């Protein structure tokens, strides 16, 4: 079997690994970039030793034992709990919004009243999607949910997506939980961490097998020859030369700066919903607790994706975009041995653990399934 994987991101790497080790077949993996690891690519700054996440901050978190066990064969982990902040009305406060945030924003008497009301209404340790809380008619709860919406959510969403939150699919907006607890951790998954030597090294180890050949600076557009199986982790509209139109994406612009002081901010990430044009500032040294008398930060500016100008980052979850994707998929399903997978191939926002989980499922059900039925 001649196998080619288009895209050496996490999806492509895990798939190449399974083809090489489980099927014991040879596989060529290509990427149009000059690096492996796709959007989880990171690199060590030679001066400070700080590992910089080039395409936005990446924190690994999962409840999936199988995914964790698989990746742990290729990396050790730095035990990192993500506790970001947001800058709201002149104060740095904890997010996701929790009871500590209430005390940071309001006078203690008011905060206590709100805390008691929320616990009575939802129970301690509950995690309530903001949109659900906004429907609650109680005066105090309505006050707090509208405050969160106005000062922490609305403008951030407008900056991030370029349109009003109401226009976006709830699968995106419901991701904002309100915590009725004092847990400042952004993720509550059983397993959390950052690869001790970086994501790129982890991907390099996943790809390190004699059956795997890597070719960088290689766009599929310019690849010739016959392949029995094409696994495409790029965008499906590009594969079909945009014959039905372009799938929209949101892009990002990164302003990376070296700062001549030990720390810039308290946390790895601070969100700025209402101030400045950037959405957040990431300070990379926090991820692995790297010691240096300098620091490196990245300011993140959301942008519209423009073909051949910037990168695709977030698929835009709207019904008409899904319809366009489905139209392309119908076309793809007619071609034997052609598969679309991964963040771009599936036109879906996928966390890293979901991307790996998807490859496991795809490999079991489609690839091994097809071999059994052949
Ligand atoms: C800003 C941001 C922050 C994130 N933070 C987190 C986080 O904290 N935790 C988490 O779990 N997940 C996070 N994610 C999600 C994570 O980035 C994805 O799960 C992961 O990158 C998916 O990997 P992938 O291989 O499917 O896609 P990608 O990493 O995009 O890889 C696709 C690869 O295909 C290549 N390619 C495309 N077309 C072609 C072509 N025609 N020819 C050759 N090569 C091609 C591309 O160059 C790219 O390298 C974040 C995502 C973003 C955008």
């Amino acid at each position: 079997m001649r196998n080619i994987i288009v895209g050496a991101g996490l999806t492509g790497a895990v798939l190449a690994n399974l083809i090489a080790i489980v099927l014991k077949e040879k596989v060529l993996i290509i990427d149009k970039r000059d690096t492996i690891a796709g959007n989880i690519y990171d690199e060590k700054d030679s001066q400070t030793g700080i590992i910089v996440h080039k395409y936005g901050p990446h924190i690994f978190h999962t409840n999936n034992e199988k995914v964790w066990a698989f990746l742990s064969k290729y990396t050790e982990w730095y035990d990192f709990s993500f506790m970001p902040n947001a800058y709201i009305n002149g104060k740095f406060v904890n997010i996701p919004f929790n009871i500590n945030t209430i005390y940071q924003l309001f006078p203690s008497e008011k905060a206590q009243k709100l805390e008691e009301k929320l616990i009575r209404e939802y129970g301690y340790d509950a995690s309530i999607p903001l949109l659900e809380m906004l429907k609650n008619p109680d005066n105090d709860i309505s006050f707090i949910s509208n405050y969160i919406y106005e000062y922490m959510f609305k403008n951030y969403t407008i900056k991030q997506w370029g349109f009003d939150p109401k226009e976006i699919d709830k699968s995106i907006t419901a991701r904002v939980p309100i915590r009725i607890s004092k847990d400042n951790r952004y993720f509550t998954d059983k397993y959390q961490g950052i690869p001790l030597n970086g994501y790129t090294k982890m991907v390099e180890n996943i790809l390190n097998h004699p059956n795997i050949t890597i070719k960088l600076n290689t766009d599929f557009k310019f690849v010739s020859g016959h392949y029995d199986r094409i696994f495409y982790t790029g965008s499906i509209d590009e594969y079909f030369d945009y014959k039905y139109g372009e799938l929209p994406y949101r892009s990002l612009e990164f302003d990376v700066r070296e700062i001549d002081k030990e720390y810039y901010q308290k946390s790895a990430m601070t969100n700025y919903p209402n101030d400045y044009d950037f959405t957040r500032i990431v300070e990379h040294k926090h991820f692995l607790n790297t010691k240096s008398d300098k620091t490196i930060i990245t300011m993140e500016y959301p942008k519209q994706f423009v073909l051949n100008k910037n990168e695709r980052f977030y698929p835009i979850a709207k019904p008409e975009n899904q319809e366009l994707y489905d139209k392309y998929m119908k076309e793809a399903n007619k071609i034997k041995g052609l598969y679309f997978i991964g963040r771009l191939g599936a036109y879906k926002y996928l966390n890293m653990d979901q991307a790996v989980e998807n490859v496991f499922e795809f490999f079991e059900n489609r690839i091994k399934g097809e071999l059994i039925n052949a």
Side-chain angles (χ1 to χ4, degrees):
M1 278 278 183
R2 291 199 69 193
N3 298 299
I4 185 168
I5 298 175
V6 181
L10 186 60
T11 298
V14 174
L15 187 57
N17 179 287
L18 296 180
I19 292 172
I21 295 176
V22 182
L23 298 186
K24 299 186 173 53
E25 290 182 18
K26 291 204 178 302
V27 54
L28 169 66
I29 183 164
I30 62 165
D31 206 295
K32 58 183 170 188
R33 293 183 186 166
D34 61 357
T35 60
I36 57 165
N39 275 11
I40 66 172
Y41 176 77
D42 53 13
E43 67 183 20
K44 194 181 257 188
D45 176 67
S46 58
Q47 300 249 303
T48 58
I50 298 167
I51 292 185
V52 175
H53 296 192
K54 283 283 178 184
Y55 299 94
H58 279 78
I59 298 98
F60 187 81
H61 58 102
T62 191
N63 283 317
N64 186 313
E65 307 272 347
K66 228 177 121 191
V67 169
W68 179 254
F70 176 89
L71 294 178
S72 300
K73 285 193 280 183
Y74 301 101
T75 187
E76 287 178 59
W77 299 95
Y78 175 72
D79 187 7
F80 177 79
S81 286
F82 190 37
M83 292 192 242
N85 287 324
Y87 182 68
I88 310 291
N89 291 338
K91 291 177 179 150
F92 290 97
V93 301
N94 293 113
I95 50 165
F97 194 97
N98 64 46
I99 288 170
N100 290 329
T101 324
I102 298 181
Y103 281 89
Q104 288 155 354
L105 285 169
F106 304 111
S108 57
E109 217 172 287
K110 185 169 180 70
Q112 201 178 345
K113 190 174 169 219
L114 290 169
E115 175 186 5
E116 282 164 13
K117 182 59 88 54
L118 284 166
I119 293 173
R120 214 176 315 132
E121 187 74 17
Y122 297 110
Y124 191 79
D125 226 13
S127 181
I128 313 294
L130 173 59
L131 284 177
E132 191 184 318
M133 205 181 264
L134 281 165
K135 290 180 197 149
N136 194 319
D138 178 273
N139 275 349
D140 292 325
I141 292 185
S142 176
F143 165 79
I144 194 72
S145 60
N146 279 295
Y147 185 97
I148 299 168
Y149 185 81
E150 256 335 286
Y151 293 107
M152 303 180 86
F153 180 67
K154 192 174 94 182
N155 294 330
Y156 191 90
T157 308
I158 292 169
K159 264 199 232 179
Q160 174 79 357
W161 296 100
F163 43 67
D164 205 82
K166 289 187 194 78
E167 285 182 54
I168 313 171
D169 194 282
K170 288 209 174 80
S171 66
I172 304 278
T173 52
R175 290 173 68 214
V176 183
I178 311 304
R179 296 250 179 84
I180 319 297
S181 74
K182 293 188 174 177
D183 186 351
N184 288 332
R185 292 172 311 153
Y186 199 76
F187 303 115
T188 52
D189 303 56
K190 186 166 171 193
Y191 304 107
Q192 307 188 27
I194 308 284
L196 201 55
N197 297 306
Y199 288 99
T200 307
K201 187 71 196 163
M202 177 180 84
V203 172
E204 192 184 306
N205 293 340
I206 294 172
L207 287 170
N208 182 15
H209 191 278
N211 282 346
I212 301 175
T213 305
I214 307 166
K215 262 177 104 176
L216 300 178
N217 297 308
T218 306
D219 193 317
F220 183 69
K221 259 195 299 224
F222 306 112
V223 171
S224 55
H226 170 78
Y227 289 91
D228 302 297
R229 298 195 197 101
I230 300 168
F231 303 100
Y232 200 90
T233 74
S235 196
I236 194 167
D237 53 347
E238 187 174 316
Y239 180 90
F240 287 106
D241 225 1
Y242 310 102
K243 64 194 265 190
Y244 299 129
E246 271 183 48
L247 280 167
Y249 286 88
R250 199 74 179 141
S251 188
L252 294 170
E253 194 178 291
F254 300 107
D255 179 2
V256 185
R257 294 186 190 187
E258 189 181 291
I259 309 275
D260 201 8
K261 61 180 184 182
E262 197 182 0
Y263 284 99
Y264 183 80
Q265 59 193 27
K266 270 195 184 151
S267 162
M269 189 177 89
T270 303
N271 283 4
Y272 289 82
N274 311 308
D275 304 87
Y276 311 106
D277 288 338
F278 49 79
T279 44
R280 53 190 188 182
I281 297 182
V282 173
E283 185 172 22
H284 299 270
K285 72 190 322 184
H286 290 283
F287 291 126
L288 292 166
N289 195 19
T290 309
K291 300 296 173 205
S292 166
D293 52 8
K294 293 193 166 109
T295 191
I296 298 177
I297 61 164
T298 300
M299 290 169 217
E300 216 172 281
Y301 295 84
K303 298 273 164 191
Q304 196 186 341
F305 166 69
V306 183
L307 196 59
N308 300 324
K309 194 173 160 226
N310 52 18
E311 296 277 345
R312 298 175 170 98
F313 278 90
Y314 299 101
I316 299 176
K318 283 183 169 181
E320 61 269 30
N321 301 341
Q322 189 57 42
E323 268 168 40
L324 181 57
Y325 175 79
D326 292 344
K327 206 165 161 186
Y328 278 118
M329 258 329 270
K330 228 170 153 184
E331 200 80 358
N333 287 335
K334 292 184 202 153
I335 304 170
K336 192 168 178 282
L338 174 64
Y339 308 91
F340 288 89
I341 184 167
R343 171 183 80 90
L344 300 169
Y347 195 63
K348 224 182 239 156
Y349 179 84
L350 297 173
N351 278 323
M352 290 179 276
D353 63 328
Q354 294 169 315
V356 176
E357 202 178 331
N358 277 5
V359 177
F360 288 169
E361 273 172 28
F362 170 78
F363 185 75
E364 268 317 301
N365 301 333
R366 298 286 304 273
I367 303 310
K368 280 173 85 182
E370 281 172 19
L371 283 178
I372 291 162
N373 296 325

